[in-house]
Amino acid sequence: VDSIEGLSPAISIEQKSTSHNPRSTVGTVTEIYDYLRLLFARVGRPFCYQCGEEITAQTVQQIVDAIAALPEGTKFQILAPIVRGRKGEYRKELLDMRRAGYVRARIDNKIVDLGEDIALDKQKKHTIEIVVDRLVMKQGDALRRRLAESVETSLKLTGGLAGVLREDGSVHLYSDKLACIRCGVSYPEITPRVFSFNSPHGACPACDGIGFAMAKGAVPLSEEGLSPWVDEDFTLLEPCEVCKGARLRPESLSVKIARKSIADVTQLSVRAAAEFFLSLKFTDRELVIAHRILKEIRERLGFLVNVGLDYLTLDRAAATLSGGEGQRIRLATQIGSGLVGVLYILDEPSIGLHQRDNRRLLQTLLRLRDLGNTVVVVEHDAETMQNATHEYLAPFVRSYAS
């Protein structure tokens, strides 16, 4: 054979573990978690993780009052964080700040002179904070006026953020958008990365987003009180003491929809999550924002239900799935991707399924075909073979062809 033409690109969906990455979950593998992050960033309501009150925007006066509470004689600097944890060289931004009359900046925790030649590695993430003013706290209206002007300048430069750098190197962020008036806790801008346990902006700092900590195992004792394995050492996985296994920062876990955090939602089973999202009520404004995101979430949850995986939780580690569960998850993900003109090959997808779930799986395969794809199934199940569009292409093989 010199050449074969007209073959579709092929995707083999095998029975094997989905991923051994400890960060992979049912939610991330199916991309449902990506849509959850987007939904919580767009219509989630932030609450203070200390007092539980809903977060409101701070005025310039409230920010000034909070900074003015510093002890008299305290030296501090007002910072404008124009770049926060992003890759790039930022030559233009630094040049613009220099031309605007600013002399210093704090780049990756170091104060630098903007008149110098600053070369940043574009492959690394950087934080750039412009030094707007340097002050010493003292009583009087003159300082408060100057402080208010500096805060307003910072808010304008950053689109709503101002930082205070104290002598001990600590930085306190204030926002004219999100802050707890009672506790003084300010929140950064709520974006999808705030809910990512793979990003330093969202991951629990104690466990780095894994959700577990390694603990030295206790040595088991025999009836005589002495361990028969005294030379043996081992470790145990225990839920992180800070995030309790939720993987995220307190700020991230305090953003809620219908009083549930994103971690609360991922702890639901697929069926319970599907019911939760069907029952959600939004304002007209929120519905305009969330409509398309909700559609994707509901559809993908529906696909998982249809392939018989409604009992899984979205935070279930992908490494703990059986080969058959992993295969059906990839099948549901492929349907959600909406690809057309593809040749799918599946190896015995009905193994381990109840007859009711097997019928749902058949409907899913037919739907994949109806999208404009060809589905070839290696199968021994009689009902699966009876539903095939074509006769045997080879012994024990039938296909669902477009």
Side-chain angles (χ1 to χ4, degrees):
V1 178
D2 294 329
S3 66
I4 300 176
E5 298 179 353
L7 289 179
S8 301
I11 296 178
S12 174
I13 305 179
E14 302 173 280
Q15 286 205 17
K16 63 179 182 180
S17 179
T18 305
S19 173
H20 294 292
N21 188 333
R23 297 181 182 273
S24 294
T25 65
V26 170
T28 60
V29 171
T30 58
E31 299 176 354
I32 292 173
Y33 193 74
D34 292 332
Y35 287 102
L36 287 180
R37 292 195 296 121
L38 191 58
L39 182 68
F40 273 80
R42 296 293 179 264
V43 297
R45 295 186 177 183
F47 291 80
C48 176
Y49 60 84
Q50 291 185 357
C51 69
E53 291 293 318
E54 188 167 355
I55 296 293
T56 56
Q58 286 177 301
T59 65
V60 172
Q61 188 58 52
Q62 288 170 328
I63 296 174
V64 170
D65 289 343
I67 299 173
L70 290 172
E72 190 167 351
T74 300
K75 295 180 180 180
F76 63 97
Q77 301 180 52
I78 302 298
L79 306 177
I82 60 172
V83 175
R84 299 182 65 242
R86 295 187 181 277
K87 293 181 180 180
E89 295 179 299
Y90 299 104
R91 291 183 179 275
K92 180 180 182 302
E93 288 80 0
L94 292 171
L95 181 60
D96 288 345
M97 291 296 102
R98 180 183 174 188
R99 288 174 176 172
Y102 296 102
V103 179
R104 299 175 185 82
R106 186 172 182 259
I107 301 178
D108 299 336
N109 299 325
K110 293 177 63 177
I111 299 293
V112 299
D113 191 326
L114 289 177
E116 299 175 356
D117 183 22
I118 302 172
L120 300 180
D121 188 340
K122 65 180 179 181
Q123 300 299 327
K124 294 183 178 179
K125 295 180 179 180
H126 303 285
T127 295
I128 301 175
E129 301 157 306
I130 303 301
V131 178
V132 176
D133 205 350
R134 298 189 294 175
L135 301 165
V136 178
M137 182 54 63
K138 60 183 178 180
Q139 300 300 318
D141 293 339
L143 181 100
R144 290 182 70 93
R145 283 196 297 270
R146 179 172 170 179
L147 180 56
E149 290 173 0
S150 298
V151 169
E152 286 181 341
T153 300
S154 178
L155 295 175
K156 289 177 182 177
L157 285 175
T158 62
L161 286 176
V164 176
L165 173 64
R166 300 179 64 171
E167 290 180 281
D168 61 2
S170 63
V171 176
H172 190 98
L173 274 181
Y174 295 91
S175 169
D176 65 353
K177 295 180 173 60
L178 297 171
C180 177
I181 304 302
R182 179 181 298 180
C183 302
V185 175
S186 291
Y187 279 54
E189 180 186 3
I190 298 179
T191 61
R193 68 179 181 175
V194 168
F195 304 100
S196 172
F197 42 77
N198 294 320
S199 165
H201 297 279
C204 169
C207 64
D208 197 28
I210 297 294
F212 291 90
M214 300 298 290
K216 194 169 184 178
V219 180
L221 299 178
S222 65
E223 293 181 356
E224 292 77 23
L226 296 175
S227 171
W229 312 298
V230 289
D231 294 329
E232 200 167 306
D233 192 16
F234 58 96
T235 56
L236 298 173
L237 281 178
E238 294 183 350
C240 171
E241 292 183 358
V242 176
C243 67
K244 310 302 181 187
R247 301 177 177 233
L248 297 171
R249 291 177 173 271
E251 299 92 331
S252 307
L253 295 172
S254 298
V255 180
K256 300 184 178 182
I257 294 176
R259 308 299 293 188
K260 287 186 181 292
S261 70
I262 192 169
D264 293 333
V265 173
T266 60
Q267 289 167 6
L268 298 173
S269 68
V270 167
R271 181 169 291 280
E275 294 171 355
F276 171 75
F277 283 106
L278 284 174
S279 64
L280 278 181
K281 303 294 182 184
F282 289 109
T283 64
D284 292 341
R285 175 185 169 277
E286 290 172 335
L287 198 56
V288 170
I289 298 171
H291 173 69
R292 295 190 66 180
I293 307 172
L294 280 172
K295 178 176 178 291
E296 288 288 344
I297 292 173
R298 288 166 177 166
E299 284 188 351
R300 288 168 189 267
L301 287 171
F303 297 150
L304 290 175
V305 171
N306 290 338
V307 294
L309 297 176
D310 55 325
Y311 58 90
L312 294 178
T313 58
L314 294 174
D315 65 353
R316 169 84 172 266
T320 66
L321 299 173
S322 69
E325 288 170 334
Q327 183 184 45
R328 280 177 277 149
I329 278 182
R330 286 191 292 275
L331 177 60
T333 304
Q334 287 300 323
I335 296 174
S337 68
L339 294 176
V340 296
V342 174
L343 170 63
Y344 288 102
I345 304 174
L346 292 90
D347 178 20
E348 297 187 292
S350 67
I351 282 183
L353 284 181
H354 186 277
Q355 199 61 30
R356 174 197 61 196
D357 293 327
N358 192 39
R359 294 192 183 97
R360 289 178 181 168
L361 175 64
L362 288 174
Q363 292 303 313
T364 302
L365 295 174
L366 292 172
R367 179 169 182 172
L368 195 60
R369 178 203 66 186
D370 294 341
L371 286 172
N373 302 295
T374 298
V375 184
V376 175
V377 182
V378 179
E379 186 59 86
H380 299 91
D381 177 69
E383 188 174 4
T384 303
M385 292 190 287
Q386 288 168 3
N387 277 271
T389 305
H390 292 287
E391 295 300 322
Y392 293 107
L393 301 177
F396 308 112
V397 180
R398 278 193 172 184
S399 73
Y400 299 80
S402 57

